[in-house]
Amino acid sequence: MIKTYYCNSNNELKETTSPKDIAEDKKWLWVDLNEPTEEEAKVLVDYFDFHELSIEDATLVQQRPKFKQYDDYQFVVFHALDLKTLEAEEVDIFIGDDFIVTYHKERFEEIDTVKRKLFNQTINLEEPKDILLNLLDDIVDNYFPFIYDIEDKVFNFEDRHNIDISTKSLIDDTFDLRQELLIIKRTVQPMRDLVYRMREGKVLHLNEQQFLYITHINDHLIKQMEMVDSSREMTSDIRDNYISLNSFKMNNIMKILTIYSVVFMPLTLIAGIYGMNFTNMPELSWHDGYYIVLIIMVIIAFIMLTVFKRKKWF
């Protein structure tokens, strides 16, 4: 579907289906291609005459966030986050002095939000660069709920530590959380690099107010990356702590079993000697021999346990 919005010479915002239908002077033009058909996509060539490489990037290949300068326009790729899968959703933007074209193969809530602001006159858009910055701001701001949600999950691990939950379950949850953080980082980090290049490259020729706006967006991306990195470090610490705790418990179990084994070794030796049933074994004819041997075995075990306790082996 293709939608066209334009601002005429009287600063009135109007809507039409195709840029070819505009019959009056315009200050700027916004063409939104939402899940376009092949016929609708031809407007990129027939009306705007964009470079074939930028059209190929927009229509055929999944791109990382990027910024390209052409003769009379710039080509930008932004990534938003899908609400359910956390996968990146691509929107391709062609922007010139008096036009902006947004091309996306899925519905973009951020674009709809900018449209509502535009028609409700809650924002003042003097030129296409203002649309670009507002769209970028909404995309970046929508990263925050995902990042805050994961940060809350990380903090909740401390509460789960006091609940009787298996270490395996906690480790599995930690790895799942780290996987989500990695997916978000794959989107946020390239976007941060892109916005930094847009701000420092001076190719958009932003005015003072627009420069402050993109600096504000860049600050948000820096904060988001710091939150993601902090959460990844915390999950690493949680994982290492639980692995260490599990190893500590296992070592204690092995230590106790080893102590029991060592205590019973001399007792087993005594039992083995008197269990050989040789004829010439004088102790076998003792009337109280059984009880004497049992007492000796108890004394040996008590002495060994006392020595181990004094050495603080358990």
Side-chain angles (χ1 to χ4, degrees), residues 248-284:
F248 176 75
K249 290 180 179 178
M250 184 61 66
N251 289 338
N252 275 341
I253 293 172
M254 294 303 298
K255 180 172 65 175
I256 292 172
L257 293 176
T258 301
I259 289 173
Y260 284 149
S261 299
V262 171
V263 168
F264 278 95
M265 283 175 62
L267 309 185
T268 305
L269 175 63
I270 294 173
I273 291 174
Y274 288 103
M276 292 188 292
N277 296 322
F278 285 112
T279 302
N280 189 19
M281 292 184 70
E283 294 87 348
L284 294 179

Side-chain angles (χ1 to χ4, degrees), residues 129-243:
K129 284 180 284 190
D130 294 322
I131 298 176
L132 177 74
L133 293 177
N134 273 273
L135 176 59
L136 176 60
D137 186 36
D138 284 344
I139 289 175
V140 171
D141 284 347
N142 284 341
Y143 295 160
F144 275 114
F146 302 103
I147 297 174
Y148 284 141
D149 180 62
I150 290 183
E151 191 176 55
D152 289 340
K153 291 179 183 178
V154 173
F155 290 144
N156 286 337
F157 271 103
E158 184 64 29
D159 297 332
R160 294 182 64 186
H161 175 70
N162 300 321
I163 305 175
D164 187 16
I165 299 177
S166 67
T167 301
K168 182 181 182 303
S169 175
L170 288 169
I171 294 298
D172 289 343
D173 291 345
T174 302
F175 276 103
D176 291 341
L177 200 56
R178 287 178 61 82
Q179 182 65 25
E180 291 183 12
L181 285 166
L182 180 60
I183 292 173
I184 292 178
K185 186 174 182 178
R186 287 175 181 170
T187 299
V188 177
Q189 184 167 331
M191 284 292 289
R192 183 193 63 177
D193 297 338
L194 170 65
V195 171
Y196 177 80
R197 292 198 307 271
M198 290 171 60
R199 184 173 72 96
E200 298 299 325
K202 312 295 184 182
V203 292
L204 286 176
H205 305 293
L206 303 176
N207 59 38
E208 182 178 357
Q209 188 64 32
Q210 292 167 343
F211 185 80
L212 290 175
Y213 200 177
I214 199 170
T215 300
H216 164 79
I217 297 171
N218 186 62
D219 291 341
H220 278 188
L221 284 165
I222 292 174
K223 178 182 178 181
Q224 290 167 353
M225 274 306 304
E226 289 175 349
M227 293 173 66
V228 169
D229 290 338
S230 175
S231 295
R232 280 178 60 82
E233 290 176 4
M234 292 178 66
T235 54
S236 294
D237 292 340
I238 291 170
R239 178 195 59 192
D240 294 341
N241 287 341
Y242 277 108
I243 290 176

